[in-house]
Structure formats: structure tokens, C-alpha cells
């Protein structure tokens, strides 16, 4: 049997170590390149967002008479215009200031498009799209007795229609 000398063993061991070091160096070089590629590379995307706005106003067709005699009627049309850029739900609070005047006045509320809820507001049954005007809440006031001093509060609120099944749900969400 032939014996291998210690020198040959050392040379073989050195060659094996050099080979391992070379493989390790190549692996580190590749990992540095890959890591640098991940850190340096970038993508950009431009998101174009636009915000809608909800803005409305009450439109009225009304010329206030000095007196409304018993049995007479006068025209008072109250509607809401969507001046914003998003569809919305509308509710209106409409009430005569003076309780005595309120008792002597009939208001012809439009119950086909508007419904009064327990909170005192009249809810519009449809979505009011941008630029549209609602059906009038009422059009005529009729005096049961002579009315000299008449003042009526009409106040509107709106909520964007997106994400809600109806006006009651939309207004309940903002409380």
C-alpha cells in the first residue's frame, strides 16, 4: 500500500480551502449584486385622484304677500338644487315660525317624492344627481284664516349617496 505524504495532504487541503474561498467569494459577489438591484430599482405610479364635493342650495319661487286672506292661496315652491359634483341624498326641515300661524295655514306637501320622518325632516325619496333640482317639497300655501305675519324656515341638509342604500341610512351614518 502506498502512503500519502503529509505535504501532499497539506497541498490538497490548501487547494480545497482555496476552492471553497473562491466559491464563497463568487456567492458573496452575486448576493451583493442582487441586493443592490433590489435596493436601487424603483417604479413610480402617478395616482390621479379628484375629490368630489357636496354642495346644495334651496331654490324658492315665492313672492311674499302682505296678507293672505282666509280661503286664499299663494304660490311658494321650495326645491333643492345639487350644486356639487357628487350625487346626494337630501332632507329638508320646513316649519312655520309662529304656532298660531301654523294652525291657520295648509301646506300642500308633495308626499309622492318627500316623506316626513319622526325627526321632523322631509326626506327626498330619490338620489339628487349633480346639477339636478329636486321636485318641490310643496307648491301652495292656503290660509284657513287671514294671516298677516308669515315666516317659514326652510333648511336643507345633504349627504353623498355613495355607499348608502337610502336617505335614512345615509343621514343615520353622520350622527
Amino acid at each position: 500500500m502506498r502512503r500519502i505524504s503529509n505535504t501532499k495532504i497539506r497541498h490538497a487541503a490548501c487547494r480545497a480551502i482555496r476552492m471553497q474561498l473562491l466559491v464563497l467569494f463568487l456567492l458573496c459577489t452575486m448576493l451583493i449584486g442582487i441586493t443592490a438591484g433590489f435596493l436601487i430599482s424603483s417604479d413610480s405610479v402617478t395616482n390621479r385622484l379628484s375629490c368630489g364635493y357636496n354642495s346644495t342650495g334651496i331654490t324658492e319661487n315665492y313672492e311674499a304677500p302682505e296678507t293672505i286672506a282666509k280661503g286664499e292661496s299663494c304660490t311658494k315652491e321650495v326645491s333643492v338644487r345639487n350644486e356639487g359634483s357628487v350625487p346626494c341624498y337630501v332632507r329638508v326641515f320646513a316649519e312655520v315660525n309662529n304656532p298660531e300661524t301654523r294652525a291657520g295655514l295648509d301646506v300642500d306637501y308633495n308626499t309622492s317624492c318627500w316623506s316626513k320622518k319622526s325627526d321632523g325632516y322631509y326626506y327626498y325619496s330619490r338620489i339628487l344627481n349633480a346639477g339636478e333640482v329636486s321636485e318641490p317639497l310643496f307648491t301652495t300655501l292656503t290660509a284657513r284664516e287671514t294671516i298677516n305675519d308669515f315666516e317659514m324656515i326652510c333648511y336643507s341638509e345633504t349627504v353623498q349617496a355613495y355607499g348608502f342604500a337610502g336617505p335614512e341610512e345615509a343621514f343615520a351614518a353622520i350622527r
Side-chain angles (χ1 to χ4, degrees):
M1 203 181 316
R2 201 170 149 197
R3 287 185 62 123
I4 303 176
S5 69
N6 283 340
T7 351
K8 286 186 179 182
I9 292 175
R10 273 191 222 133
H11 285 309
C14 284
R15 265 191 257 138
I17 290 173
R18 280 189 211 134
M19 187 60 77
Q20 289 173 353
L21 287 175
L22 179 63
V23 169
L24 183 64
F25 175 74
L26 290 174
L27 283 175
C28 287
T29 305
M30 286 186 345
L31 286 176
I32 290 171
I34 291 170
T35 304
F38 279 117
L39 295 176
I40 294 172
S41 74
S42 67
D43 287 336
S44 66
V45 175
T46 303
N47 290 325
R48 298 178 200 277
L49 299 175
S50 62
C51 295
Y53 63 96
N54 186 0
S55 176
T56 58
I58 291 180
T59 60
E60 258 186 307
N61 178 17
Y62 177 64
E63 293 198 24
E66 294 203 15
T67 302
I68 305 173
K70 181 178 181 177
E72 285 187 4
S73 296
C74 69
T75 300
K76 182 173 175 79
E77 293 180 1
V78 174
S79 301
V80 177
R81 173 183 293 281
N82 185 348
E83 298 165 350
S85 63
V86 296
C88 61
Y89 289 114
V90 178
R91 71 180 181 181
V92 173
F93 180 80
E95 190 68 52
V96 177
N97 279 1
N98 186 336
E100 293 172 6
T101 305
R102 186 179 323 131
L105 190 66
D106 285 328
V107 182
D108 72 328
Y109 288 104
N110 178 350
T111 56
S112 64
C113 296
W114 296 85
S115 58
K116 189 171 185 176
K117 302 297 178 184
S118 61
D119 58 4
Y121 283 89
Y122 290 88
Y123 287 76
Y124 192 54
S125 61
R126 302 178 191 141
I127 293 175
L128 192 61
N129 291 309
E132 288 183 345
V133 178
S134 71
E135 294 292 324
L137 174 58
F138 51 86
T139 57
T140 307
L141 306 173
T142 305
R144 281 191 236 142
E145 55 190 58
T146 301
I147 297 174
N148 295 320
D149 186 24
F150 171 72
E151 190 173 314
M152 183 174 213
I153 297 171
C154 293
Y155 166 76
S156 70
E157 293 181 348
T158 59
V159 174
Q160 74 175 14
Y162 297 122
F164 299 106
E168 293 87 0
E169 179 186 340
F171 284 103
I174 62 168
R175 289 189 186 140

